[in-house]
Amino acid sequence: MRRALALVAAAALVAGSAGTSTPRVARADESCNATYYDQGTRTASGEPFDPEAMTAAHRTLPFGTVVQVTDTDNGKVVTVRINDRGPFAADRCLDLTRAAFERLAPTSRGVIPVLLTITGTAPPPARDLARDLAARILSDSRITLATGHRDLRGDDPPDGASAHDDVADTAQGRPARRSSYGGAAGGTVRLSAAMLQGMLDAAEAVALHISEIAGGPYGPRTSHARGTAFDVDGVDGRPVLFLGDAERRVMDTCRAHGATEVRYEGLHIHCGWS
């Protein structure tokens, strides 16, 4: 009798152990190899690629899926959001950003075995308003953006900091470049969404030719260097040579939309936001 009870107890213990361990395995939605990537400009979801973000690429999971990734070699865990497609090697199911991979293992390991557990979904990050406004400016037929500088000293280097360059970079989610010649600030800056919106609003009243934004020979303490100002050197298809009705409409529109620096400066109109 005692032997029979012992066998029953042992069977129950084994059954109980199986019952507690099986769900742990069942919670893993996928088991495979993962690697990392740290180069790119835009993900398949449309978001800019950021190697420092906690995101990943998967071939089939919907964008926004939140996945807990466990390195089965060391037990470390990271949670990522799916925003890209890949990897396309047959023996891998996940491409982590470099930063996410480093939460699990040094990049020198290259490929690691992982368990994927789907934990939910998350919305994409809020869209970059400045990026969207810059894209609208590029497609607005009433706004022409200079592709070079007009320095009175004749110093006009192709430095990638023209008005067109600055808006194009912003439309791609990148910071705008500032000129480095003369006493200019150099480096990069994020363009102000308020300033870009003001440019679009001013163009509803008058067609604009924008001569400078963050580039040009402007020092580090100026609103240009802060990415909060633009200069207009042409209105309705003619150069700004005097303060006429069209010029006044541009200035009035800038003021109405929050500009705190509005000046007629002889050959251009300056509109800046604080």
Side-chain angles (χ1 to χ4, degrees):
M1 183 67 176
R2 289 179 180 177
R3 180 176 176 79
L5 289 173
L7 289 173
V8 170
L13 180 60
V14 171
S17 299
T20 57
S21 62
T22 300
R24 292 177 190 167
V25 177
R27 285 202 302 269
D29 296 290
E30 192 169 3
S31 175
C32 64
N33 291 327
T35 186
Y36 75 94
Y37 67 132
D38 59 4
Q39 294 183 345
T41 55
R42 191 164 295 277
T43 65
S45 67
E47 296 176 25
F49 174 70
D50 181 358
E52 299 299 323
M54 294 296 111
T55 57
H58 190 278
R59 285 193 290 273
T60 58
L61 287 176
F63 295 139
T65 302
V66 178
V67 179
Q68 179 179 287
V69 184
T70 304
D71 182 340
T72 58
D73 280 348
N74 59 25
K76 291 184 178 180
V77 176
V78 67
T79 299
V80 297
R81 180 174 53 84
I82 303 300
N83 73 341
D84 205 357
R85 289 292 175 236
F88 301 106
D91 62 337
R92 301 172 190 176
C93 74
L94 196 69
D95 259 346
L96 296 161
T97 60
R98 174 177 45 76
F101 189 96
E102 289 176 335
R103 297 284 182 91
L104 302 177
T107 55
S108 59
R109 283 182 60 188
V111 179
I112 57 175
V114 296
L115 291 178
L116 307 187
T117 305
I118 297 173
T119 63
T121 59
R127 294 196 69 182
D128 185 334
L129 178 57
R131 185 181 69 191
D132 292 347
L133 293 170
R136 286 175 55 191
I137 288 170
L138 290 175
S139 63
D140 194 320
S141 61
R142 293 179 62 79
I143 300 176
T144 303
L145 301 165
T147 57
H149 306 294
R150 293 184 179 178
D151 193 297
L152 296 178
R153 299 167 301 180
D155 192 357
D156 187 11
D159 56 4
S162 70
H164 187 277
D165 292 327
D166 287 344
V167 174
D169 281 338
T170 301
Q172 292 297 318
R174 299 189 296 265
R177 276 179 279 189
R178 300 184 291 204
S179 295
S180 298
Y181 66 91
T188 61
V189 67
R190 294 283 179 180
L191 296 189
S192 158
M195 179 272 293
L196 295 170
Q197 183 63 63
M199 188 185 301
L200 285 164
D201 293 332
E204 291 183 4
V206 180
L208 306 176
H209 185 276
I210 307 297
S211 56
E212 294 289 3
I213 302 178
Y218 297 102
R221 296 184 180 181
T222 63
S223 52
H224 285 285
R226 294 195 300 270
T228 62
F230 62 84
D231 288 344
V232 179
D233 68 350
V235 293
D236 285 343
R238 62 170 178 78
V240 171
L241 298 175
F242 56 89
L243 187 56
D245 290 341
E247 287 80 1
R248 288 189 174 89
R249 284 200 300 276
V250 173
M251 297 170 71
D252 289 345
T253 304
C254 287
R255 290 191 186 98
H257 289 88
T260 55
E261 300 175 0
V262 181
R263 301 187 294 269
Y264 167 64
E265 298 187 335
L267 296 177
H268 67 261
I269 298 162
H270 171 86
C271 291
W273 279 254
S274 59

